[in-house]
Amino acid sequence: MVNTVAVWVLAGWRPLLRPHFRSARQLAGFGSLIALSGLLEVAYAHGSSLIIGKLHGARDLGFYNRAQSLQILPANILAAIVTRVALPVFSAKSQDHEALRRGVRMAQGVVMLINLPLMAALATMPDLVIKVLYGPKWLVAAPVLSILALGGILFPLHAVNLQLMLAQGRSDLYLKVEIAKKVVGIAFVAVGSMFGITGLAIGQTLFAYVAFFINAGAAGRMIDYNPLAQLRDLASLIMLTSAMVAVLLLLRPLLAYGDTANLAILTIAGGGFFVCTAVVLGVGHTHELIRITPFRSVLPRLRKE
């Protein structure tokens, strides 16, 4: 109710008193394929939980779901932001492929500045995160979290490429891509589930990388921006993240202040190293990200220094 009232007050748009059936049919055709794709995603996402519960019992299901929910939370938030922003922006430039390439490159670069170091940190110190947030009784979930975090690295790239398809009006291609991914994903789940929750996590992570090439391959052909080119544009960010991981691995054995204090120190040290290096060296789209944050006034002073 609050959302509807706010949109009504702020949007300025008002519906006509007479329906426009031709537009309704077009929207229904476009939207029905997206809705079907969403149903496939829901069925696939919950299917792995059903398999774990059936084959390995409630205990393993609890550990797996705890790790998965923690790993997917930041990725879902970033994907929601990308979905809201990218679709209208890409739609406005749907006929200008050069502008779309620049838009996709910038969207991926900005969102990966946040997601890549975050997932790398989860993969590097999952036991500390689990113990501080949930307690030591959930430590069995730590290896699963580490593996799933590696798969979550490319999650925002999926969202950007899928929004590009929709911006081009290709909900039919969107559905075909989702069907192809689910067929491949089911195979990974079936094989991985034979080896417990760790095997399933490995299967899901491998599938995440295969899914990226399916998404980016289909979307990239529209604007001549293939998956390898997309990854190549993230090379400097990947190298910086690898350096951050090295800092965390070198620093952690030196700490003995308790789990909460150690996690705080590592987070500040790793995050500070990543942010400072990215700003000073201008890695990726760091400056674009700063311009849309409250800290944009700091950038000119850093450049002068």
Side-chain angles (χ1 to χ4, degrees):
M1 178 69 72
V2 171
N3 184 70
T4 302
V5 171
V7 170
W8 181 269
V9 171
L10 297 175
W13 176 86
R14 297 292 181 268
L16 298 175
L17 295 178
R18 62 184 186 279
H20 198 295
F21 292 106
R22 179 178 298 178
S23 296
R25 285 196 298 270
Q26 292 175 346
L27 290 173
F30 182 82
S32 61
L33 298 180
I34 300 176
L36 183 55
S37 300
L39 290 174
L40 286 174
E41 178 62 31
V42 170
Y44 175 81
H46 292 282
S48 57
S49 295
L50 294 174
I51 291 174
I52 294 173
K54 181 68 174 178
L55 297 181
H56 306 290
R59 181 179 180 275
D60 282 353
L61 176 59
F63 287 126
Y64 185 89
N65 281 349
R66 181 64 70 192
Q68 186 180 49
S69 62
L70 182 57
Q71 175 267 322
I72 204 67
L73 179 61
N76 278 342
I77 294 173
L78 290 173
I81 296 172
V82 169
T83 300
R84 287 176 178 268
V85 176
L87 182 57
V89 172
F90 292 168
S91 298
K93 301 290 185 180
S94 60
Q95 302 304 316
D96 188 344
H97 288 182
E98 179 59 33
L100 279 175
R101 277 194 297 272
R102 291 196 301 269
V104 170
R105 188 178 295 114
M106 180 177 176
Q108 292 182 341
V110 168
V111 76
M112 288 296 280
L113 269 169
I114 302 171
N115 188 67
L116 186 52
L118 185 57
M119 290 296 107
L122 280 179
T124 304
M125 47 186 186
D127 54 329
L128 275 181
V129 175
I130 290 290
K131 282 194 287 187
V132 171
L133 293 182
Y134 301 125
K137 65 181 180 181
W138 291 98
L139 268 178
V140 176
V144 176
L145 174 59
S146 181
I147 296 168
L148 291 177
L150 294 176
I153 287 175
L154 298 182
F155 189 82
L157 303 187
H158 300 313
V160 173
N161 281 291
L162 291 173
Q163 294 310 303
L164 176 60
M165 293 182 207
L166 295 181
Q168 296 290 299
R170 295 299 307 274
S171 60
D172 58 327
L173 178 61
Y174 185 98
L175 177 60
K176 291 177 183 177
V177 166
E178 288 301 309
I179 292 174
K181 289 191 301 183
K182 297 308 174 281
V183 171
V184 175
I186 289 171
F188 276 98
V189 168
V191 175
S193 61
M194 299 178 184
F195 303 95
I197 57 176
T198 301
L200 182 58
I202 293 173
Q204 292 284 50
T205 296
L206 293 176
F207 167 64
Y209 287 88
V210 173
F212 164 72
F213 280 93
I214 296 175
N215 286 333
R221 281 192 293 270
M222 298 178 177
I223 59 172
D224 192 24
Y225 192 34
N226 62 63
L228 292 179
Q230 294 182 28
L231 292 176
R232 191 161 51 245
D233 286 337
L234 298 172
S236 60
L237 184 55
I238 294 172
M239 288 189 291
L240 176 56
T241 303
S242 300
M244 184 200 74
V245 170
V247 169
L248 294 176
L249 293 175
L250 291 173
L251 181 59
R252 183 171 179 180
L254 305 177
L255 302 178
Y257 303 106
D259 295 331
T260 302
N262 289 347
L263 180 60
I265 293 171
L266 290 170
T267 300
I268 294 171
F273 171 83
F274 184 91
V275 172
C276 292
T277 306
V279 171
V280 172
L281 299 182
V283 175
H285 292 268
T286 305
H287 295 162
E288 284 82 356
L289 179 61
I290 292 176
R291 291 192 188 101
I292 61 176
T293 68
F295 304 102
R296 58 187 178 274
S297 60
V298 177
L299 182 59
R301 292 200 297 270
L302 288 174
R303 284 176 172 173
K304 291 179 182 179
E305 293 173 1

